[in-house]
Amino acid sequence: MMIITLAALLAAPADPGLPVSAWVTPVRDWKTAAIPRERYLEIIEGLCRFSIRHQDGKGAIIDPFVDREFQYATPYFAYAVGALVEAGRARDLLSHGVRAMEHATTSFAGGRKTIPDDHGEFFVPVLTGALDLYRGLAPDATLSRWRERLKVPLTQVIRGGTNNWETYPMKGEWMRARAGLVRSEDAIAYIERVWRDRQAARIVPAPWYLYRDLTSDPDTLSVEAVGRGNLLGLVHHGYAGPSRAAIERAAESATLVALLLQEPSGQAPTNGRTDNHVWVDVGYQLSFEVMAERLFERGEVRRAGQLRRAALLALGGIDRWRREDGAWAGSYFITKNRLDPKLRVGYQTASQYSNYNGSLMYHLAEAYHVRHSAIDEQPTPSELGGYAFALDDKFAAVFANAGGLLVQANLRGQVGVSNGNRWTPLGVVRFARAGWDSRLGPSDGALDETGGVSFAPTFAGKDGWVRLADQGARYGATWSAEFVHPVMVRGALEYRPKTGQSGPAFRQELLITPDFVLSTVRQLGGQTVGWGVTWPVLESDGRPLTVRRGPRMVSLSFPRAADEQSFIAVDGPVTFTDEAAVRGSYGDLRPIRVVTRGTSNTTLIYPRGSGDPTAEDVGRSFRRTARGFRTLVGTVDGRVYIGRSAAGGEGSRVDLDGDGRPEVTFTPRCQFLVRHRGGKVTELEVDRPTVAVVQGRRVQLGPHTPYP
């Protein structure tokens, strides 16, 4: 079910039904990331210098944990070194890159039996692309030898018919055709057959167009970026077959949708196979860079700026997991924690150190080559907010965002194991805020054979307390939205037993603002069992966090860091009970059971940043009113939210300082967004033609044209 306000529907280049917010005024103070293109090379060089410590005499990259060449680590390294040296950097690595190319092309020429782990699909585009990089760097005779090896027929190299894997040779075969390694007509025939017979069916219907990998249930929003990204790369490389338009429309539309899924500190969405792997953020980053360049060439300057900004947020975000410790310096943790990689926390079966650090260096090198235009950054949709929707039932995920505070919830939970893990718990799994360390959110829940953790109801069963997070076989949820605006989203999750199952039902109402989320849970159908709410508290990501507790709250932060997440109970009295921690991709999550005596259980989720009031002061300031509530950081009055620097909603007036006199009036009634400082209006935006009186001055406003 998709719920988007009419004000948020704006025609997009690829599909007129694509949901993109029309609001342009950021609620929070905003500044550019301004990450130079050279930064890509700095990261790649660190990864390559780490990798040469694990290169054998034949040129292969040996994985430090499985002690052998694994999958595609060697050709990815070869490409990355070529990118560095071609750019005039790290020339001392050239011999390492040449040896890697020699070994990888030899493996390719031998076909499936000599390609590590039968991963030939991944070799096709990377080795073909690397040929151009080594032109002028390697002897002509060596280049000719490599070219001959790369002419091996595709049928001898790939398995065929394997989910997103098949998009690698689609892209790679067209690259081989352009390089003169295979005939163009043969490449087109292969791509068209694969698209028609299998890949087109993996595209979600309009308006989402996301890629269905169908390797976990719910489906993966991580590997989605691979299939989509390769299809986007195929058309970006100039594919000229009959299905070009269909592939282009799907890949471009889905990449614009991905802007809504990225959380505002840069992380890719969670859920499904291989979620919370660092390389996934780079996969999203690469597709954003490609799409930014494509739209910029068409004159879509604002959207191109959003995509460039999203790419840089993703790039900057991976710094959290870069290693600087001794022999590991320059490499990255595979999943988003700092636990010993030997523990394989959050790993899928195929996750290893060499292949996924290889993915980082290769895709960053691709992004470096793609990025060539000077595009001014613009606030991304996830920084602006003003949307709330549920994806289709295969993905079963909700995304709701007010002013850069994003909530992600799962409508279904995973039941069995897929690729060595359980990826998706039922319930709310992410609170993320612009300019804030969203790991604290938590950035995801946790689910394993011992149980699950999410922000969701819990109830007393016959054999003890039951958390809905691990009840994917028994429970599901639905989403509905009441009001959607850049400073306030009202929606609700309803959790009910599936057909043939029994148990209590719950309604969780969520009021999302740029500064906090108010969650109110009630049991549906009367008070039949003891119940409460689970707070997911990240205690350690390999390093203990600082956890503070009070009579009505729990707060957590990384040591010596300003950002803090707080869960504050506002219905009292309450009883807290700690339950056994569950290890998720980000570390150890402590489920804290919160039980009240009344008919509702209300939590204020407060992501505090530097300079914000303390959680204790915010909790003490909470007061309900006839039309909402008041706190130190913001007031809700019906459909209007008034924060310390921004206000908005729907109405005919707004009183910013609470003195009973409106600073702004609107004729007719409209949706509006006001930035203010000390009670003085600094910026104003409305959703329709409106006459506003701004602190005594009459102003004619057009829709989504900020004033002044």
Side-chain angles (χ1 to χ4, degrees):
M1 179 180 181
M2 178 185 71
I3 303 173
I4 301 284
T5 60
L6 291 177
L9 292 176
L10 181 68
D15 190 272
L18 193 66
V20 180
S21 174
W23 296 88
V24 299
T25 303
V27 173
R28 292 186 170 275
D29 290 340
W30 187 88
K31 62 180 180 180
T32 62
I35 300 175
R37 187 170 177 245
E38 189 72 15
R39 176 59 181 155
Y40 298 19
L41 298 179
E42 292 173 1
I43 296 172
I44 295 165
E45 183 173 345
L47 286 160
C48 288
R49 293 198 180 281
F50 163 78
S51 297
I52 63 174
R53 301 172 187 154
H54 302 278
Q55 187 175 32
D56 70 9
K58 296 179 180 179
I61 301 300
I62 305 302
D63 188 274
F65 292 95
V66 297
D67 200 29
R68 66 174 178 85
E69 184 181 8
F70 190 76
Q71 292 183 357
Y72 41 78
T74 302
Y76 280 18
F77 167 79
Y79 187 101
V81 170
L84 287 172
V85 179
E86 187 209 34
R89 190 178 182 113
R91 191 169 181 84
D92 62 302
L93 296 180
L94 178 58
S95 61
H96 295 275
V98 169
R99 293 210 318 272
M101 277 293 289
E102 183 67 23
H103 177 75
T105 55
T106 300
S107 298
F108 188 90
R112 292 179 58 186
K113 66 180 183 296
T114 57
I115 294 174
D117 301 289
D118 202 2
H119 270 57
E121 282 86 346
F122 298 79
F123 278 55
V124 185
V126 63
L127 288 177
T128 305
L131 286 176
D132 278 343
L133 301 179
Y134 283 91
R135 186 175 290 114
L137 300 178
D140 289 345
T142 300
L143 286 167
S144 296
R145 183 169 65 250
W146 293 347
R147 284 182 58 86
E148 287 303 311
R149 291 171 180 169
L150 294 182
K151 292 179 181 179
V152 172
L154 199 61
T155 54
Q156 297 180 24
V157 175
I158 68 172
R159 302 182 192 183
T162 308
N163 57 306
N164 76 84
W165 282 34
E166 210 164 36
T167 64
Y168 285 93
M170 288 176 73
K171 172 184 168 183
E173 197 67 350
W174 181 248
M175 293 172 66
R176 288 212 298 174
R178 294 188 67 185
L181 302 175
V182 299
R183 297 196 313 162
S184 293
E185 53 267 38
D186 292 340
I188 290 174
Y190 166 76
I191 293 166
E192 291 295 316
R193 183 176 67 254
V194 168
W195 174 256
R196 180 188 66 244
D197 293 349
R198 289 181 292 275
Q199 290 298 317
R202 292 184 175 274
I203 303 301
V204 174
W208 307 116
Y209 292 102
L210 297 169
Y211 185 89
R212 286 184 173 133
D213 200 61
L214 300 177
T215 48
S216 59
D217 187 22
D219 205 355
T220 169
L221 285 169
S222 296
V223 184
E224 184 278 331
V226 178
R228 168 172 53 84
N230 282 332
L231 294 175
L232 184 63
L234 172 63
V235 297
H236 196 63
H237 280 284
Y239 180 60
S243 296
R244 176 192 167 90
I247 296 171
E248 182 176 42
R249 181 179 185 182
E252 289 193 348
S253 295
T255 302
L256 293 175
V257 169
L259 285 173
L260 305 174
L261 310 184
Q262 182 189 42
E263 58 100 327
S265 75
Q267 295 187 99
T270 185
N271 273 22
R273 178 172 76 89
T274 325
D275 71 353
N276 306 325
H277 282 55
V278 178
W279 70 261
V280 176
D281 289 358
V282 174
Y284 270 75
Q285 186 257 353
L286 172 59
S287 66
F288 291 149
E289 288 284 24
V290 172
M291 195 64 191
E293 293 288 345
R294 294 177 69 77
L295 292 189
F296 190 72
E297 290 176 2
R298 299 174 196 166
E300 293 279 346
V301 177
R302 176 171 175 262
R303 196 72 57 78
Q306 290 183 322
L307 286 151
R308 172 58 51 79
R309 168 71 171 185
L312 298 184
L313 287 174
L315 181 66
I318 68 171
D319 285 345
R320 304 166 176 127
W321 296 284
R322 180 181 171 92
R323 301 187 68 173
E324 302 295 346
D325 49 327
W328 302 99
S331 69
Y332 286 73
F333 287 96
I334 303 306
T335 50
K336 295 181 175 180
N337 59 72
R338 289 183 169 270
L339 291 155
D340 189 338
K342 290 180 181 178
L343 300 174
R344 297 181 60 81
V345 174
Y347 281 33
Q348 71 160 338
T349 308
S351 301
Q352 296 294 351
Y353 211 79
S354 60
N355 63 333
Y356 284 159
N357 271 285
S359 290
L360 287 178
M361 66 178 83
Y362 170 45
H363 294 313
L364 283 171
E366 287 188 292
Y368 173 80
H369 292 136
V370 165
R371 178 178 168 179
H372 59 83
S373 301
I375 301 174
D376 292 335
E377 296 175 51
Q378 298 291 329
T380 68
S382 68
E383 293 176 300
L384 294 168
Y387 56 87
F389 59 84
L391 295 175
D392 74 347
D393 188 57
K394 292 291 185 183
F395 291 111
V398 171
F399 295 84
N401 186 316
L405 202 164
L406 180 140
V407 176
Q408 182 180 344
N410 298 331
L411 301 179
R412 293 194 296 116
Q414 187 167 343
V415 177
V417 173
S418 62
N419 293 86
N421 215 327
R422 294 173 173 86
W423 307 98
T424 307
L426 177 64
V428 178
V429 292
R430 174 167 284 179
F431 298 101
R433 203 202 81 181
W436 184 74
D437 193 337
S438 296
R439 291 177 294 174
L440 300 168
S443 277
D444 192 10
L447 183 65
D448 66 12
E449 66 279 0
T450 70
V453 187
S454 66
F455 185 78
T458 179
F459 63 90
K462 290 185 296 184
D463 299 317
W465 283 85
V466 178
R467 296 193 298 268
L468 288 188
D470 52 31
Q471 296 297 302
R474 183 177 175 186
Y475 273 82
T478 57
W479 164 258
S480 60
E482 174 192 341
F483 182 69
V484 180
H485 183 278
V487 299
M488 185 164 60
V489 171
R490 289 182 182 270
L493 295 161
E494 289 198 0
Y495 302 90
R496 297 180 183 274
K498 294 182 176 181
T499 302
Q501 300 291 333
S502 62
F506 300 92
R507 178 177 173 86
Q508 182 177 25
E509 296 177 353
L510 295 170
L511 191 154
I512 307 166
T513 78
D515 302 299
F516 53 78
V517 177
L518 190 74
S519 164
T520 302
V521 177
R522 295 181 177 86
Q523 186 178 169
L524 300 175
Q527 187 79 16
T528 59
V529 299
W531 65 277
V533 171
T534 298
W535 290 356
V537 175
L538 181 65
E539 289 189 329
S540 172
D541 72 341
R543 303 161 302 178
L545 276 74
T546 300
V547 179
R548 299 188 300 109
R549 295 171 180 253
R552 293 177 176 270
M553 58 164 281
V554 175
S555 298
L556 60 145
S557 60
F558 286 97
R560 298 175 298 281
D563 291 347
E564 180 182 71
Q565 175 66 300
S566 295
F567 298 93
I568 306 169
V570 297
D571 286 335
V574 296
T575 301
F576 293 154
T577 304
D578 284 23
E579 298 176 331
V582 179
R583 179 158 285 181
S585 300
Y586 286 83
D588 296 331
L589 277 175
R590 174 75 61 183
I592 298 179
R593 185 169 72 242
V594 182
V595 177
T596 66
R597 295 179 185 175
T599 58
S600 64
N601 190 315
T602 304
T603 305
L604 189 73
I605 300 97
Y606 174 47
R608 177 179 178 266
S610 178
D612 291 338
T614 67
E616 289 84 353
D617 286 345
V618 170
R620 283 191 292 266
S621 73
F622 185 89
R623 296 290 184 275
R624 296 191 185 277
T625 65
R627 290 167 48 85
F629 58 90
R630 296 178 180 275
T631 73
L632 274 176
V633 289
T635 296
V636 172
D637 182 16
R639 290 194 165 190
V640 173
Y641 175 73
I642 302 172
R644 289 176 297 160
S645 61
E650 184 176 334
S652 58
R653 60 181 60 203
V654 60
D655 177 7
L656 299 173
D657 56 13
D659 65 357
R661 297 187 300 272
E663 277 72 31
V664 189
T665 62
F666 305 95
T667 306
R669 178 187 179 93
C670 64
Q671 288 197 8
F672 63 90
L673 175 59
V674 178
R675 291 292 305 271
H676 64 94
R677 184 176 295 111
K680 301 295 184 182
V681 175
T682 59
E683 197 166 2
L684 178 61
E685 183 181 348
V686 296
D687 71 334
R688 65 200 68 177
T690 303
V691 175
V693 178
V694 184
Q695 293 171 326
R697 182 177 181 180
R698 188 176 185 275
V699 180
Q700 179 72 51
L701 301 176
H704 302 296
T705 304
Y707 165 84

